[in-house]
Amino acid sequence: MQLVDSHCHLDAAEFDADREQVIARARAAGVRRQVVPATAAAGWPKLREVCRAEPGLHPAYGLHPTFLAEHRPGHLTELEAWIVRERPPAIGECGLDFFVEGLDQVAQAHYFDGQLQLAREHGLPVVVHARRAVDAVIAAIRRAGNGSRLSGVVHSFSGSPEQARQLWQLGFMVGLGGPLTYERAQRLRRLAADMPLEFLLLETDAPDQPDADIRGQRNEPARLRRVLDVVAELRG
Ligand SMILES: [Zn+2]
């Protein structure tokens, strides 16, 4: 089994004490690689160090919408310099969050549009966060694509099947993880059961979004196996 955790915050402080063991458990569970998306510019150097320390860790640099208070207009310029110098496999985590109160939606759109622009110019996929904002994300991708095709993933997808289809048509995948292991997540479980596999990426979003078996605990990339098992069960 060779798995990729497409979304894992391995650089988070929650893993500072035992990061090597966490990675070893992931490898033992068949998780060979992890995409590790950034949250804010101040964290990029640590993210780079964490990913350099072990093979199979791939950093994505970006400006996460819920960390809006830490972003400055100049960070988009800095991000481009990091992209050119570090050649990451993706830009992110970027996107829109209309769930968390007090996050200026205009400012969020400014950073998201700027990162989509960089993705287009540098030919990189984007790792997108969309919380209560899938329609706005789809609209922004359409605008930014402007004829040329963007690609990427809307991670921890929680929208409707119609919204998923629109994303696939735009060249985007959906990322599914711990939330689909909860029986009450009917819509998500139906999507995992029915969707075309070529548009599905597995993720943990560790240390967040623990699956139902470790509810309330720190999530870790080895748990990707549980997500895979549930998807397999749902699809028969
Ligand atoms: Zn994330």
Side-chain angles (χ1 to χ4, degrees):
M1 191 74 71
Q2 302 227 5
L3 297 170
V4 177
D5 186 352
S6 64
H7 197 109
C8 169
H9 294 281
L10 206 57
D11 60 323
E14 285 89 333
F15 294 120
D16 282 350
D18 63 347
R19 191 169 286 109
E20 279 173 36
Q21 291 96 302
V22 167
I23 295 168
R25 282 197 292 273
R27 297 295 177 265
V31 181
R32 296 278 176 262
R33 292 166 186 268
Q34 285 122 292
V35 178
V36 190
T39 52
W44 298 341
K46 179 184 179 186
L47 172 59
R48 179 174 57 185
E49 289 320 302
V50 164
C51 290
R52 273 181 181 169
E54 298 267 354
L57 305 180
H58 305 278
Y61 298 105
L63 302 164
H64 189 300
T66 67
F67 291 75
L68 187 65
E70 297 180 34
H71 305 335
R72 299 290 174 266
H75 289 170
L76 283 170
T77 315
E78 278 180 46
L79 179 57
E80 180 158 36
W82 274 71
I83 290 164
V84 169
R85 194 182 62 234
E86 304 294 331
R87 303 187 158 278
I91 293 174
E93 176 165 359
C94 57
L96 300 171
D97 194 312
F98 297 167
F99 175 75
V100 175
E101 277 176 44
L103 291 177
D104 182 336
Q105 297 189 1
V106 175
Q108 287 190 57
H110 168 75
Y111 290 109
F112 185 37
D113 292 343
Q115 290 175 89
L116 292 175
Q117 198 70 34
L118 287 174
R120 202 181 63 173
E121 284 163 14
H122 294 274
L124 287 172
V126 279
V127 178
V128 179
H129 169 109
R131 206 155 159 220
R132 298 265 169 92
V134 179
D135 282 336
V137 158
I138 290 170
I141 290 169
R142 284 217 171 96
R143 271 198 314 272
N146 193 24
S148 67
R149 216 162 154 74
L150 283 169
S151 69
V153 59
V154 172
H155 106 91
S156 191
F157 180 78
S158 59
S160 68
E162 291 73 26
Q163 288 171 325
R165 262 189 294 277
Q166 289 176 43
L167 286 166
W168 303 334
Q169 280 163 6
L170 288 167
F172 273 70
M173 308 179 84
V174 299
L176 299 179
L180 67 78
T181 63
Y182 293 82
E183 301 228 3
R184 63 166 192 275
Q186 291 295 330
R187 187 167 75 171
L188 207 50
R189 288 163 77 91
R190 266 198 303 276
L191 181 70
D194 299 338
M195 68 174 285
L197 279 183
E198 63 267 32
F199 294 118
L200 172 60
L201 289 183
L202 301 177
E203 65 171 62
T204 61
D205 200 20
D208 302 323
Q209 307 212 65
D211 61 78
D213 294 352
I214 56 162
R215 173 188 233 126
Q217 299 170 43
R218 182 186 73 168
N219 195 6
E220 63 170 70
R223 300 302 300 173
L224 195 69
R225 276 300 291 271
R226 183 63 196 141
V227 174
L228 173 67
D229 288 347
V230 172
V231 171
E233 277 168 36
L234 290 169
R235 296 179 72 92

